[in-house]
Amino acid sequence: MNTTVEEHQEHEISHYLCIGCPMGCRLEVEEAEGEIVEVRGFSCRRGEAYAKQEHVAPQRMVTTTVRVENGLWARLPVKTTDAIPKELMWELCDKLHQLTLQAPIKRGEVVLKNALGTGVDVVSSRDMPYREG
């Protein structure tokens, strides 16, 4: 999450809140001429890697629900198997909200393969039993 960008002696400094671990470090990425010069504020290696990834090509995991027919419940929780580019997140949610599945569905079952050509699948997060009667 890019919160601010500052100009600093021909260097641009971007600020992020790390979500790589529970520490929630406040990160700074200093960039000059399109290259990352320095990452500051991280307490662990995940923070440094997160800052670089977030600065260059932000990605997000997607979790939502899809409609189910003949299931015990009307909606099934689903999630991506890996992070996708942040700019595709809402497009994927729209696609999933148009999807209707048929029960029964097993936890971990692929409900959308290669979502939006990303190579990432969307899978069921729980079992959805068939509704009798």
Side-chain angles (χ1 to χ4, degrees):
M1 151 176 23
N2 188 349
T3 54
T4 61
V5 176
E6 304 169 3
E7 294 293 329
H8 182 267
Q9 299 175 359
E10 300 180 29
H11 289 205
E12 188 175 282
I13 299 175
S14 299
H15 300 264
Y16 302 95
L17 179 62
C18 185
I19 60 171
C21 78
M23 295 281 295
C25 297
R26 297 185 186 278
L27 307 172
E28 288 186 352
V29 176
E30 187 173 345
E31 180 183 315
E33 299 176 11
E35 297 292 322
I36 294 176
V37 175
E38 184 180 6
V39 177
R40 295 183 288 272
F42 57 91
S43 297
C44 67
R45 288 189 169 272
R46 285 186 285 180
E48 182 179 21
Y50 173 79
K52 289 176 179 178
Q53 176 69 48
E54 187 69 8
H55 190 73
V56 175
Q59 297 188 338
R60 297 291 185 271
M61 295 291 289
V62 174
T63 61
T64 188
T65 60
V66 296
R67 186 176 24 248
V68 177
E69 291 181 347
N70 302 317
L72 189 55
W73 301 283
R75 302 203 62 86
L76 174 73
V78 297
K79 63 181 182 175
T80 53
T81 56
D82 202 357
I84 65 168
K86 184 178 175 181
E87 66 268 10
L88 296 177
M89 193 173 68
W90 295 112
E91 184 179 347
L92 178 58
C93 285
D94 288 343
K95 186 171 184 77
L96 290 168
H97 288 166
Q98 295 170 12
L99 190 63
T100 301
L101 303 174
Q102 297 294 322
I105 301 160
K106 292 289 184 192
R107 180 173 181 246
E109 187 175 327
V110 175
V111 299
L112 183 63
K113 190 156 186 65
N114 189 22
L116 303 177
T118 60
V120 175
D121 296 334
V122 178
V123 297
S124 168
S125 298
R126 65 165 300 151
D127 288 340
M128 176 62 73
Y130 180 78
R131 180 185 64 220
E132 298 289 333

